[in-house]
């Protein structure tokens, strides 16, 4: 389904879920960016589970994360916050929280969640007062290579496990002719993600921590950083001109349909493959290149409630999100991993199992930059990466200089 047909499907779906009746007369507005066709089955899991708790989901979907976040901030700042907001990190809304424009939730049994999630997840869930302000439904790995298995076979290549092996595979796929080796989009957010994927996979955990956690400008003087910058430059010749106007869903479909050989993105990029009927482990292979997993939870924050009814709806929503059965169903449709450790993981497909092999080892995991860097720093680093990608004459030394200034910038509080 493409073009107008896809848009019609999405519009009809969103209209239908906004009309689901609620037995208790409660309703709750949800701002999110899960508007792609491939994401609808996962959204429906939440809609149905919420309906069972007597709450009607009122949909307010945006096409992109930045558009959704802008709407969330505007609504909160003007005194009309949405009841629920789908976010990647509470850090993005720190200023709103400090101004009292977000709310905590406390359904019955909420304190028990602490023992059901990893300590670092609980840290992300709670505010300064120890109450829950963020309920994550899914844990994603943000540096996964997706490869078309049939194309791999034609190229005589095995699934790569490192970036060096990945470049060899891309070269072999290019030799086939008629296939784009690397499906890509020039969107700033993917360029930024590609950069920190390379830092983790080539520079390892020490370089990653120095840049994205410690914000140490000296990290860009290391030889490991030069290797990262060189690898970023090496990627472009394996892409195609369509990258300048392509969204990530279309890039994933290129691999699913056999028009491209590989894609490097987060675990959520598995959705289009599933929608296209491609079986993970049979039609598509996955690998966490370099073995260091970049982790990021996605979930919901809550606007200041305007009534006791809305507060009750928020609490029921939070309980739904943190239900282990709901999480298991959601990740089965969405890709990724449940945040609750007691959720059933038997439904995880082979692709997710391969990508998540290092999850149990803290030495092989790092946090996504949105959990460790304020938006201003992220924006400055992203701008530097976009300029380096676009300007092939820019030296690595000049790139390093821009990045030093970016990570050293004050957070703008």
């Amino acid at each position: 389904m493409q073009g107008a047909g896809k848009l019609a499907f999405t519009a009809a779906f969103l209209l239908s879920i906004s009309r689901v009746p609620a037995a208790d007369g409660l309703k709750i507005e949800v701002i999110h960016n899960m508007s792609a066709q491939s994401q609808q089955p996962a959204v429906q899991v939440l809609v149905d589970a919420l309906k069972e708790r007597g709450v009607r989901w009122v949909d307010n979907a945006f096409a992109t994360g930045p558009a959704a976040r802008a709407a969330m901030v505007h609504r909160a700042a003007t005194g009309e916050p949405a009841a629920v907001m789908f976010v990647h990190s509470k850090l993005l809304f720190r200023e709103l929280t400090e101004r009292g424009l977000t709310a905590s939730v406390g359904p019955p049994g909420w304190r028990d969640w602490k023992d059901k999630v990893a300590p670092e997840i609980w840290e992300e869930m709670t505010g300064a007062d120890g109450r829950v302000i963020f309920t994550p439904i899914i844990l994603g790995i943000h540096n996964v290579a997706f490869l078309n298995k049939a194309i791999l076979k034609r190229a005589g290549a095995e699934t790569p496990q490192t970036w060096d092996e990945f470049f060899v595979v891309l070269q072999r796929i290019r030799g086939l002719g008629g296939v784009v080796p690397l499906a890509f989009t020039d969107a700033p957010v993917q360029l930024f993600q590609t950069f920190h994927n390379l830092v983790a996979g080539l520079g390892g955990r020490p370089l990653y921590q120095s840049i994205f956690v410690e914000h140490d400008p000296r990290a860009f003087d290391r030889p490991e950083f030069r290797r990262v910058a060189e690898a970023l430059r090496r990627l472009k010749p394996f892409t195609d001109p369509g990258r300048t106007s392509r969204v990530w869903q279309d890039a994933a479909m290129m691999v699913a349909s056999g028009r491209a050989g590989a894609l490097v993105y987060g675990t959520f990029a598995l959705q289009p493959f599933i929608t296209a009927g491609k079986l993970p482990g049979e039609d598509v292979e996955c690998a966490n290149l370099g073995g260091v997993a970049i982790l990021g939870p996605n979930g919901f924050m809550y606007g200041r409630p305007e009534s006791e009814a809305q507060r009750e709806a928020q609490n029921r929503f939070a309980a739904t999100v943190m239900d282990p059965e709901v999480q298991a169903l959601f990740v089965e449709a969405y890709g990724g991993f449940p945040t609750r450790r007691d959720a059933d993981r038997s439904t995880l497909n082979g692709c997710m199992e391969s990508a998540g092999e290092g999850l149990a080892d803290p030495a092989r995991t790092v946090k996504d930059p949105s959990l460790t860097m304020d938006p201003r720093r992220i924006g400055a680093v992203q701008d530097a990466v976009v300029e380096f990608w676009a300007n092939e004459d820019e030296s690595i030394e000049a790139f390093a200089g821009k990045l030093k200034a970016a990570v050293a910038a004050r957070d703008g509080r």
Side-chain angles (χ1 to χ4, degrees):
M1 186 181 299
Q2 296 181 353
K6 182 185 292 185
L7 292 176
F9 174 90
T10 301
F13 174 84
L14 297 180
L15 181 61
S16 70
I17 64 176
S18 69
R19 291 178 175 172
V20 175
D24 293 357
L26 297 176
K27 63 181 180 179
I28 196 161
E29 180 192 8
V30 185
I31 290 183
H32 65 92
N33 63 311
M34 295 180 288
S35 58
Q37 178 189 354
S38 61
Q39 295 169 310
Q40 302 314 308
V43 174
Q44 191 66 52
V45 167
L46 293 178
V47 173
D48 292 344
L50 196 63
K51 179 184 176 183
E52 291 180 1
R53 289 169 171 80
V55 182
R56 175 167 63 91
W57 173 297
V58 179
D59 202 78
N60 192 352
F62 289 79
T64 67
R69 287 191 292 272
M72 295 172 199
V73 171
H74 176 75
R75 288 276 300 276
T78 55
E80 296 182 355
V84 176
M85 302 169 285
F86 184 66
V87 303
H88 179 52
S89 166
K90 68 179 184 181
L91 183 60
L92 296 173
F93 296 94
R94 181 182 59 192
E95 184 176 351
L96 295 181
T97 299
E98 291 176 345
R99 291 169 57 189
L101 298 176
T102 61
S104 61
V105 288
W110 70 270
R111 289 181 176 83
D112 296 336
W113 295 342
K114 182 177 181 180
D115 298 324
K116 305 300 183 182
V117 299
E120 58 269 23
I121 295 296
W122 180 252
E123 181 182 353
E124 293 301 322
M125 292 174 62
T126 53
D129 61 357
R131 295 185 65 84
V132 171
I133 61 173
F134 173 53
T135 50
I137 191 169
I138 188 169
L139 180 65
I141 295 178
H142 292 175
N143 53 330
V144 178
F146 300 87
L147 302 108
N148 184 295
K149 193 167 183 177
I151 293 176
L152 274 181
K153 185 176 181 180
R154 283 175 53 202
E158 299 293 331
T159 303
Q161 300 301 318
T162 68
W163 276 97
D164 289 339
E165 293 175 359
F166 185 62
F167 278 110
V168 172
V169 170
L170 292 178
Q171 186 66 45
R172 290 191 179 184
I173 294 174
R174 181 161 59 183
L176 294 175
V179 178
V180 177
L182 180 64
F184 203 81
T185 167
D186 276 355
V189 65
Q190 178 161 6
L191 286 167
F192 176 63
Q193 185 166 335
T194 300
F195 173 67
H196 61 68
N197 288 350
L198 285 165
V199 171
L202 286 173
R205 194 173 190 275
L207 181 66
Y208 189 96
Q209 294 291 94
S210 294
I211 293 174
F212 296 108
V213 179
E214 299 164 11
H215 311 145
D216 184 358
R218 296 171 296 180
F220 302 105
D221 295 325
R222 299 180 188 175
E224 295 92 337
F225 167 73
R226 174 170 286 276
R227 190 178 177 210
V228 167
E230 291 171 345
L232 184 60
R233 276 269 165 80
R234 288 176 62 193
L235 283 175
K236 186 181 283 189
F238 293 108
T239 67
D240 71 314
R243 68 177 183 272
T244 59
S245 58
R246 183 181 296 132
V247 297
W248 71 264
Q249 293 92 337
D250 291 337
M253 283 305 300
M254 288 177 65
V255 180
S257 65
R259 290 181 291 125
L263 169 78
V264 181
Y265 219 56
T267 45
F268 57 86
L270 187 61
Q271 301 156 16
F273 292 92
I274 295 174
T275 302
K278 301 301 180 180
L279 298 177
E282 295 187 23
D283 303 305
V284 56
E285 294 285 356
C286 297
N288 171 223
L289 299 177
V292 176
I294 302 175
L295 306 180
N298 283 73
F300 300 89
M301 290 186 70
Y302 303 85
R304 189 172 54 197
E306 59 185 20
S307 65
E308 285 303 313
Q310 187 176 88
R311 185 183 301 277
E312 173 63 18
Q314 288 176 326
N315 282 334
R316 293 192 194 187
F317 189 97
T320 301
V321 168
M322 295 304 297
D323 184 319
E325 294 184 7
V326 172
Q327 290 199 1
L329 290 171
F330 186 87
V331 301
E332 184 178 3
Y334 199 91
F337 308 85
T339 56
R340 284 191 60 136
R341 292 186 290 196
D342 58 342
D344 180 12
R345 298 196 175 200
S346 64
T347 59
L348 292 180
N349 57 63
C351 218
M352 292 298 98
E353 290 178 353
S354 298
E357 288 179 353
L359 280 178
D361 183 1
R364 295 176 60 187
T365 61
V366 293
K367 289 185 178 181
D368 183 81
S370 65
L371 306 179
T372 61
M373 298 179 78
D374 61 276
R376 182 175 176 179
R377 275 197 180 98
I378 288 177
V381 172
Q382 181 172 280
D383 288 346
V385 174
V386 170
E387 291 171 6
F388 182 71
W389 176 266
N391 182 8
E392 297 181 9
D393 293 328
E394 182 174 293
S395 68
I396 293 177
E397 289 73 21
F399 181 37
K402 292 178 181 178
L403 290 170
K404 288 179 181 181
V407 299
R410 295 185 62 184
D411 64 9
R413 272 212 257 183

